[in-house]
Amino acid sequence: MVLRTISKWGFMESESKLEKVVTGYKLWLGEPGDIVVKRRAQPSTMAPNEIHVLFFPPIDGDGEDNITTVATAGMSVVAQPGSYPYVELGLELKGNCAASERGPIATCLADLASVPFLHNRPFEPNLILEDVTIPLFANMHFALVTRWDRVSDIKLPDTDPPVIILRLTPLYKAEADLAGQMGDVKALTFLEGKGMDRADFNRGSILP
């Protein structure tokens, strides 16, 4: 995706929806530390033309996890096919996300946000993405799409129709194969029981 203004293309309605999604994130997670904007060089009538990728830094304080939350805003301005029409994507990273790392991550997530529309492959829980490598998770070439809280949908506040947040979990091949056999909930329960930290991009495979 190449940065370029799209206001002259007349997407004001979608932009208003996008702003409501960003507001929903702020109500849920607070102010983002950074927002990287990706705009499609050639506007499409089939897919979102602007994706904002929000970076929420770790929360200071005792008992808080040292986690950066990264999430898209803009995917849900267009309804995808399937049972989850309005969704956004998110993932968690250990520690702070350096400025040099945000651009590549944002590009990757913006590209993934176009897949349901350009390739007719709706994103919903229990979906395994192959040949997907999210920056920082360099050794993991699969990603599992799940509900944010694994078993329950998380809806962004004040979005109508409701926007659901889907979580991306990078996996090694053996872990992805297990998810294909057991389903996302059982597989993640098993893997995390063995010590898997989904936010740790330096981790090794839990399975041989």
Side-chain angles (χ1 to χ4, degrees):
M1 290 189 176
V2 180
L3 293 181
R4 174 177 172 179
T5 180
I6 60 169
S7 58
K8 68 178 182 178
W9 294 96
F11 291 109
M12 294 305 295
E13 181 182 356
S14 292
E15 287 180 304
S16 176
K17 292 178 182 177
L18 190 153
E19 290 169 1
K20 291 178 180 178
V21 171
V22 172
T23 298
Y25 275 117
K26 292 177 180 179
L27 292 172
W28 180 36
L29 296 173
E31 288 289 333
D34 193 13
I35 300 177
V36 179
V37 179
K38 296 291 180 177
R39 296 186 178 95
R40 193 175 298 283
Q42 297 298 323
S44 169
T45 58
M46 299 172 58
N49 287 291
E50 180 171 345
I51 299 291
H52 292 199
V53 181
L54 289 67
F55 292 81
F56 297 90
I59 299 173
D60 294 329
D62 294 337
E64 296 290 347
D65 293 331
N66 186 26
I67 295 292
T68 295
T69 301
V70 187
T72 65
M75 183 178 178
S76 60
V77 304
V78 180
Q80 67 165 355
S83 55
Y84 280 72
Y86 301 102
V87 302
E88 299 290 350
L89 304 176
L91 75 155
E92 292 182 329
L93 310 170
K94 264 188 110 61
N96 280 294
C97 186
S100 61
E101 297 165 342
R102 296 173 202 155
I105 292 172
T107 298
C108 177
L109 293 188
D111 288 343
L112 285 175
S114 297
V115 168
F117 310 98
L118 299 181
H119 301 284
N120 194 32
R121 190 181 187 187
F123 281 10
E124 56 188 27
N126 204 34
L127 174 67
I128 299 171
L129 304 176
E130 300 180 13
D131 298 321
V132 169
T133 304
I134 297 173
L136 293 184
F137 296 87
N139 295 319
M140 305 174 213
H141 306 304
F142 296 79
L144 179 62
V145 180
T146 67
R147 296 176 176 87
W148 188 260
D149 280 350
R150 193 183 308 174
V151 295
S152 58
D153 290 328
I154 294 294
K155 302 175 183 178
L156 279 182
D158 288 355
T159 53
D160 185 23
V163 174
I164 306 298
I165 308 302
L166 296 178
R167 184 193 291 265
L168 295 170
T169 299
L171 297 176
Y172 289 91
K173 184 180 186 304
E175 297 168 347
D177 289 344
L178 182 71
Q181 296 164 11
M182 299 179 66
D184 58 348
V185 174
K186 289 183 178 180
L188 286 175
T189 300
F190 175 83
L191 292 170
E192 290 181 332
K194 294 289 186 179
M196 185 184 82
D197 180 350
R198 291 195 275 182
D200 184 2
F201 43 84
N202 289 319
R203 72 177 181 84
S205 178
I206 297 298
L207 301 175

